[in-house]
Amino acid sequence: MAAAHISRPVRIAPSLLAADFARLGEEVRAVEAAGADWLHLDIMDGHFVPNISFGPGLVKALRPHARIPFDVHLMIAPADPYLAAFAEAGADLISLHPEAGPHLHRSLQTIRGLGKKAGVVLNPATPVSAVENVLDLCDLVLVMSVNPGFGGQSFIRSQLGKIAALRAMITATGRDIALQVDGGVTPETAPDCIAAGADVLVAGTAVFGRPDYAAAIRAVRGVG
Ligand code: DX5
Ligand code: ZN
């Protein structure tokens, strides 16, 4: 695949879901100091996905603890009633799933209207065509390489082809749209994601589950 020959900077977004929830402020400071580029915050409602995590109140409480962008991944339905709350809480990017509501284009317009970057998240079974007609409103496309809801799952390799297809679509737009992968990203699976064209890697267990966050981030980045 042609994208494999283009080298672009790879950003690492540790997922707070795998952090110690009793020490979250400290965890955020530690992962930023360890070289994290973004902080990935997984919002789960126990309805769209079979797990509950945290809401905008926690995002707001953590915001003063780091300067890196807060990348909020909404796994909630409906999402529209909560977009303003996450924007006000300090999210820099807000991503949502097309299945979360009937009007994806409007949801992305709302996020942009709140002054935030907007992203679309594709579940393993969701085709690339779900984002094709709204790419002009996207700052980020996220490919789920596990079924959303839990950390620590195994990487679904069939998603690599989707990453490559999206890289080609993004290149064709000529716009700077981040291509993110989330789920089962480890030092072993990251190189395949990067070769397929991903440039932002979410890693929960592979960072917060390791004793040395800086070494873990370097390992996922492929420079460790
Ligand atoms: C899953 C979440 C992921 C999760 C990744 O629904 O969207 O961000 O935290 O965890 P790992 O890296 O452990 O697979
Ligand atoms: Zn996520």
Side-chain angles (χ1 to χ4, degrees):
M1 60 193 85
H5 305 293
I6 300 166
S7 101
R8 55 179 68 80
V10 174
R11 285 159 289 182
I12 307 298
S15 165
L16 201 62
L17 197 64
D20 180 348
F21 274 26
R23 299 185 300 111
L24 283 177
E26 195 182 317
E27 291 277 66
V28 169
R29 294 195 298 276
V31 86
E32 179 178 61
D37 298 287
W38 296 359
L39 185 72
H40 186 80
L41 298 122
D42 289 300
I43 312 301
M44 303 177 176
D45 66 354
H47 164 76
F48 184 72
V49 291
N51 194 7
I52 299 175
S53 59
F54 48 81
L58 188 76
V59 176
K60 185 175 183 180
L62 291 175
R63 185 62 277 190
H65 290 266
R67 292 184 178 177
I68 52 175
F70 273 21
D71 163 34
V72 171
H73 173 192
L74 297 180
M75 288 163 274
I76 63 176
D80 289 352
Y82 303 98
L83 298 175
F86 284 102
E88 284 157 20
D92 297 284
L93 298 107
I94 302 176
S95 302
L96 78 174
H97 292 246
E99 297 86 354
H103 302 295
L104 180 61
H105 186 278
R106 179 181 289 150
S107 300
L108 295 169
Q109 280 182 320
T110 301
I111 296 168
R112 286 277 190 86
L114 290 162
K116 306 301 178 181
K117 292 186 173 175
V120 172
V121 192
L122 303 180
N123 277 332
T126 306
V128 295
S129 58
V131 71
E132 194 170 12
N133 292 313
V134 293
L135 267 185
D136 59 318
L137 284 172
C138 286
D139 300 291
L140 174 145
V141 179
L142 167 52
V143 174
M144 291 305 302
S145 41
V146 298
N147 285 295
F150 303 95
Q153 302 182 79
S154 298
F155 187 83
I156 300 172
R157 293 194 60 83
S158 61
Q159 300 307 300
L160 290 169
K162 189 191 285 183
I163 296 167
L166 283 162
R167 172 50 65 193
M169 281 171 59
I170 288 169
T171 300
T173 69
R175 289 189 45 243
D176 181 21
I177 301 172
L179 180 53
Q180 188 177 45
V181 186
D182 183 8
V185 175
T186 64
E188 291 72 39
T189 57
D192 292 334
C193 298
I194 296 165
D199 57 4
V200 188
L201 305 180
V202 176
T205 313
V207 173
F208 284 107
R210 307 293 305 171
D212 181 339
Y213 296 170
I217 289 169
R218 284 197 303 273
V220 175
R221 211 189 286 281
V223 296

